[in-house]
Amino acid sequence: MKRPAYQWSDVPVTGRLALLGLACVLLWAGCAAPRVSAPPRPPAPSEPSLEIQRRLLRDAQELHRQGRSRAAVQLLERWLRTYPRSPLAPDAHWWLGRSYEQAGDLDAALAQYRSVVQAGGDSELVAAARNRIAALERPAAGPPRLAGKQTALGLSAQRLPQPPLLENWLRSLAKTGVTTLVLEAGTEETRSPKSGGAPAAPAGVYFRTDWALTVQDTIGQLVPLAHRQGMAVYVTVNPWRMAWVDPALGWQAQAYDAAGGQFRPSLFLDLFHPAFQEYLVGLVTDLAGSGVDGVLFRAPPGADPGERLSRFAREAVERDFGIRLDPESLRGDQRSYAPEVWRWLGWESRQSVKVLDRLAQAVRKRSATMQVGLEVHEETITEPVAALVRYREDVLEANQSAWDFYVITPRPSPSPGQGKGRAGVVTKAVALLGERRPIWMETRLQGGDLMKLDERLPAAIAQAGLPPGIGLWYVMPAGSVP
């Protein structure tokens, strides 16, 4: 017997409502997806955060520029602990390496430079770090050196051996202990054949630049050969004496003719001439791109105060102090100088350092690995007042800038007891300049056959008797070109 089929119409109204409610509940439960809480996404680095990081890096760079290496190291180490995954971390490692190197901790500096290389990224920064690693590792991999002494040899570019002999000559120098070869950037003064010295050389520079006549790219040819022998190449720049600068530009300083009561062009260039300063920035920027390892800014030339006057300096002193410098007040003994003369001498010493520091920054901007040094006179260490008058040079002012090294040039006429007195000069220099930057002592090397220099140098280096950490900076006198 068939069971009767139930129809929807047979279900009571109350039942129908209950079934509809149950269906709705089941339908909602089957369609609603379970609610799963996703893990929070790490916030992307915001622009304000990066700006803070950049600002701290700039602070560290400024500390490095001022020579405050310990403070820079502390700031950068804290920076890297705070922002270890920052996209700016390679820059922080780079400046930490530079600061460690400035402080003399070369092993720590190498570790930071290697971190830059491992991180990759900015090709220029990586290349600079590789260059710095090569420079710091060069002494260990290079030729043997005597007692670890750093020895530089300075000579005119005109005296370098010809290319067929140059590489063998460099090899022989490296074996004697020479670690650095030093050339001048260009001709500082014209030589007269009547003087018995070198023949008159064309006025120009020895590297490629659009700012001056390139006599020959001697520096560009020398650098790779010297590096092959583990030697560095430094170049000296004398902003007061540049024979290639056209006098028609009007960049000479002024000399006061007391007899006639008039000014005449000086033998020296005016470091405070605004156009000349811009020219120097362009020139040293090109020099920094030549591949050299260091630049040394020569010390101011010795001259009576009235022989190297600047119209721009006199106007600035008048503006800053409200005093007018009378050239007649520069005559006579320094003990009779009026107060305004001492104000002018102090102003010029400070501003000279500022101009040179600006040039140093231009060099480092082009090549961050460049070593930039300053030459100071021995009298500036031993007789600061006399040196202020003769050179407008103050070693305490100079030490306010972040020089990578110093070279102390001896008196023009050394006394008979120079060897004994040198130890005292070194002691005073270290006390005034500090131990954080290398100091080189310049000395004159007796003339002779340039090609037999390797036979004389070892004895000269051994007899120098300088304390550890003080480098020798030999200067060869002008002579015949080999």
Side-chain angles (χ1 to χ4, degrees):
M1 180 176 181
K2 275 188 173 183
R3 299 179 62 182
Y6 289 98
Q7 301 293 328
W8 178 253
S9 57
D10 297 333
V11 180
V13 173
T14 55
R16 294 179 194 176
L17 293 175
L19 289 175
L20 285 173
L22 178 62
C24 290
V25 170
L26 292 175
L27 181 62
W28 176 87
C31 296
R35 191 176 291 179
V36 180
S37 59
R41 297 177 60 186
S46 61
E47 285 303 320
S49 175
L50 284 176
E51 182 55 36
I52 292 172
Q53 296 173 32
R54 291 190 184 96
R55 191 181 312 148
L56 291 173
L57 282 179
R58 287 195 294 268
D59 291 344
Q61 293 173 33
E62 180 62 20
L63 290 171
H64 171 83
R65 192 191 68 80
Q66 295 174 2
R68 300 168 60 188
S69 52
R70 292 186 181 277
V73 165
Q74 292 175 356
L75 176 57
L76 288 165
E77 286 181 338
R78 186 166 62 249
W79 192 102
L80 285 167
R81 287 195 299 269
T82 308
Y83 310 108
R85 297 183 181 179
S86 169
L88 302 177
D91 297 85
H93 283 293
W94 165 258
W95 285 107
L96 183 55
R98 292 289 291 162
S99 300
Y100 271 131
E101 189 175 350
Q102 188 181 65
D105 193 344
L106 302 187
D107 290 337
L110 278 169
Q112 297 303 318
Y113 294 141
R114 291 185 181 117
S115 295
V116 175
V117 174
Q118 291 172 1
D122 186 350
S123 58
E124 291 187 6
L125 190 64
V126 171
R130 291 186 189 277
N131 290 339
R132 207 71 219 110
I133 291 170
L136 293 179
E137 290 180 338
R138 190 179 301 147
R145 309 246 167 85
L146 300 182
K149 293 285 186 182
Q150 294 295 305
T151 304
L153 175 64
L155 73 166
S156 168
Q158 297 293 320
R159 295 207 65 194
L160 279 177
Q162 296 300 314
L165 304 174
L166 182 57
E167 189 158 13
N168 286 336
W169 180 73
L170 292 172
R171 186 178 298 111
S172 67
L173 286 182
K175 289 180 180 179
T176 65
V178 174
T179 62
T180 306
L181 204 62
V182 185
L183 301 181
E184 73 272 33
T187 51
E188 297 180 4
E189 54 186 331
T190 55
R191 300 185 180 93
S192 171
K194 296 180 181 180
S195 65
V205 298
Y206 302 116
F207 61 96
R208 294 191 180 279
T209 178
D210 294 329
W211 295 88
L213 171 66
T214 299
V215 177
Q216 185 180 359
D217 187 18
T218 307
I219 293 171
Q221 297 170 4
L222 175 66
V223 167
L225 297 178
H227 286 179
R228 198 177 301 167
Q229 302 304 323
M231 300 169 66
V233 177
Y234 284 12
V235 175
T236 64
V237 175
N238 188 340
W240 290 275
R241 300 297 294 266
M242 293 180 169
W244 63 86
V245 172
D246 189 351
L249 294 171
W251 293 348
Q252 274 83 12
Q254 295 176 327
Y256 181 68
D257 184 359
Q262 296 179 338
F263 290 101
R264 56 176 170 79
S266 171
L267 296 174
F268 310 108
L269 293 165
D270 185 358
L271 189 64
F272 302 114
H273 195 298
F276 182 49
Q277 290 182 16
E278 296 304 319
Y279 172 82
L280 288 173
V281 169
L283 186 72
V284 300
T285 299
D286 282 357
L287 177 59
S290 65
V292 298
D293 304 283
V295 173
L296 173 72
F297 290 106
R298 299 293 304 273
D304 292 333
E307 289 294 318
R308 185 161 58 86
L309 295 170
S310 167
R311 173 173 64 87
F312 300 95
R314 296 201 312 275
E315 292 174 353
V317 170
E318 183 176 355
R319 181 182 64 248
D320 292 349
F321 299 110
I323 57 176
R324 187 173 183 83
L325 180 66
D326 181 4
E328 288 289 339
S329 63
L330 302 175
R331 302 176 64 183
D333 189 83
Q334 66 187 44
R335 288 173 292 186
S336 63
Y337 282 168
E340 59 264 22
V341 175
W342 293 108
R343 283 190 175 184
W344 166 66
L345 293 173
W347 182 94
E348 186 165 326
S349 69
R350 290 190 299 273
Q351 296 303 317
S352 295
V353 172
K354 289 183 179 180
V355 174
L356 295 178
D357 184 62
R358 181 189 174 195
L359 300 181
Q361 292 183 45
V363 168
R364 293 185 177 112
K365 184 177 181 180
R366 177 66 185 268
S367 176
T369 63
M370 187 75 65
Q371 297 291 294
V372 186
L374 184 70
E375 182 184 53
V376 296
H377 290 93
E378 178 183 321
E379 297 97 307
T380 308
I381 305 293
T382 59
E383 303 173 46
V385 176
L388 182 63
V389 174
R390 181 157 180 78
Y391 305 111
R392 267 74 81 207
E393 187 177 57
D394 185 336
V395 71
L396 296 180
E397 289 291 344
N399 205 31
Q400 297 301 311
S401 297
W403 304 107
D404 295 309
F405 64 96
Y406 291 97
V407 175
I408 301 175
T409 182
R411 297 171 182 270
S413 301
S415 58
Q418 181 189 18
K420 181 181 291 186
R422 180 182 291 173
V425 174
V426 170
T427 301
K428 290 184 178 179
V430 172
L432 290 171
L433 302 174
E435 299 180 352
R436 65 189 180 204
R437 300 165 185 150
I439 298 174
W440 302 70
M441 291 295 296
E442 183 180 311
T443 186
R444 302 288 169 178
L445 195 63
Q446 295 297 323
D449 188 350
L450 189 68
M451 300 306 294
K452 295 182 179 180
L453 193 58
D454 59 326
E455 300 176 4
R456 312 189 271 131
L457 267 178
I461 294 173
Q463 294 172 5
L466 292 178
I470 305 297
L472 282 165
W473 189 285
Y474 285 113
V475 177
M476 287 285 294
S480 59
V481 181

